[in-house]
Amino acid sequence: MRAVDTIIRKRDGHSLTQAEIDAFVSGLANGTWQDYQASALLMAIVLNGMSPEETAHLTDAMLRSGERMDLSDVPGVKVGKHSTGGVGDKVSIALAPVVAACGVVVPKMSGRGLGHTGGTLDKLESIPGFRIGLSIEEFKEVLRDVGTCMIGQSATLAPADKKLYALRDVTGTVDSLPLIASSIMSKKLAEGTSALVLDVKCGDGAFMRDVTQARALAAAMVAIGARAGVRTEGVITDMDAPLGVAVGNALEIVECVDVLKGGGPADVRHVTRRLAARMLVLAGLGHDEATAVTAVDRAIDSGEALDRFQRMVAAQGGDPRICDDVSRLPSAPGVELLRADRQGYVTRMAAKAIGRASCALGAGRNAVGDPVDHGVGLLLRAKPGDLVAKGDVVLELRHRDARGLEDALILCREAVAIGDEAPAPRPKILEEVR
Ligand code: URA
């Protein structure tokens, strides 16, 4: 089976067979497919799409390109969670200890910031001493002791996705529903959980700009999960404006701790409680919607969730005292304020521009391997719908020696709009796909 024939068939709009897809994915590893051929096929997929069957076969082939984690020696039901990525999205870090405190094991393999979006690993690494590079044995040990552990993606899980993702990143082939769905699901299925909740972000700061696209992506991933025997649900959540008020690594850890103490911004609390409750229901331990919400609230109100977080931080080498003394986290000394230039309602706080501003200050990367500054970022002093007077602070920028400040301010001015009419309230949870 020649690579060029598979490329031509997809170029001409045909469906690929399972054998063709298998040969493509294994060819990436054994060298029978060159990078330029893989790139050509990826572009043909972007332009002509894939059927649900082809997408399932591609996911399966990428899953089989590596190991599948065996968590059978970790007692308890394991439920995974994944977010398609956004700005200020710190939900995983707050949610995993909550769910663990309710008796469900949450093994979490996360990524670094990508483009304007933040990454769970970068946020966790702002905690002094925190190690995300545990061995699989150490990972399981922490799961047994604490019920949750958060590490980087293991190189042995879905290695074909790693290779393909790197090619997609530089060939303009990231934006494709079947490629995104198979990329995410091959990694999540390899993690070996029996259920999975997907937070599909939707809006200005997300891959999926509108609800129709987000719904289609969620449905594709739910179908792949079901086919693989993993109970999977998608929750579509708003990413037009950043989630919460903190954007930037250590600033977001402070917000997570606030949520675990029962406070924090209402939108972060709401999304965290909802996703945690769905994870409990999907765990199949007898929770229905109502009892799951009660269990989640109890885990937070009793301090048990915070205790799990502190134990996880300590078990991964981090300093758990950050929960009582946030001055132990890195912080940038410079403060610049962006003020409202008129009175009115905040009608827009565009997530993408705010995410880019945070990167400009040094919280994210321009290229793989760039160092990040864990102490910089932004605080939203007003959110969409808030009424502000002329001169009120709407954004607070935390910078180090004014690095990137000029660019960040330009982006922040682009991000914010103030008008006479209050915007229609936009719910944070838009839809659920089961
Ligand atoms: N996240 C992934 O892991 N893969 C994609 O293709 C997009 C987002």
Side-chain angles (χ1 to χ4, degrees), residues 82-85 114 161 165 168 173-174 176 179-185 187 207:
H82 181 78
S83 159
T84 56
L114 198 64
D161 172 65
Y165 198 90
R168 288 167 59 206
T173 52
V174 169
S176 149
L179 294 179
I180 295 174
S182 55
S183 164
I184 291 175
M185 290 304 287
K187 287 179 291 220
F207 273 120

